[in-house]
Amino acid sequence: MTATDLEGQLDNLSLRLVVTRLVYRDVTPYVDDDALVDRVVENVVRGWQQRDQDASMQLDGPDGYWNRYADQVEWAPGSGEDSDVYRLEFCPDDSEPFNEHNYYEAVWYTHIAGLPARGGAGGVNDDAGTRGQRTG
């Protein structure tokens, strides 16, 4: 094994460590199965590695790759900066009180179910499901 190979492996391990920290911080409150969370980690790592290399994007932070990924999962497509636009298909009807934890749990489990267990990059499907706005 050459020094270049070792450096590449170290870079990959460093990326996986950072992604794992971010995903575990934000997803494990809603998903209690480590194997499922690992699928999100793998998908984020693949997406980061396959992104346009000319794009000057950071992994973490308000406009970072992870935040954009999570926002696409959690919020209705096209909602932009308005954080009050939930995915309607995960909201109860108006006769039931809104439970934020149950909402995020349903969103993440549904997203993970759509990820490949291994292999090619899965992604966020911006057009999946019904869109709706909930303001309270």
Side-chain angles (χ1 to χ4, degrees), residues 23-24 27 31-42 108-109 112-113 115:
V23 172
Y24 268 74
V27 178
V31 178
D32 60 0
D33 183 330
D34 287 346
L36 297 181
V37 175
D38 288 345
R39 288 174 65 184
V40 177
V41 170
E42 289 300 319
W108 278 105
Y109 271 102
I112 292 167
L115 295 179

Side-chain angles (χ1 to χ4, degrees), residues 4-19:
T4 304
D5 293 337
L6 289 172
E7 187 175 309
Q9 285 184 351
L10 181 60
D11 288 346
N12 188 41
L13 289 172
S14 296
L15 172 62
R16 287 180 183 284
L17 177 62
V18 172
V19 170

Side-chain angles (χ1 to χ4, degrees), residues 72-84:
Q72 287 179 313
V73 172
E74 295 172 349
W75 304 111
S79 63
E81 299 296 318
D82 185 355
S83 62
D84 286 333

Side-chain angles (χ1 to χ4, degrees), residues 24 34 39 45 51 60 63-64 67 69 74 83-86 88 94 109 120-122:
Y24 268 74
D34 287 346
R39 288 174 65 184
V45 167
R51 78 192 189 291
D60 196 11
D63 293 321
N67 247 11
Y69 179 101
E74 295 172 349
S83 62
D84 286 333
V85 181
Y86 293 103
L88 186 61
D94 290 337
Y109 271 102

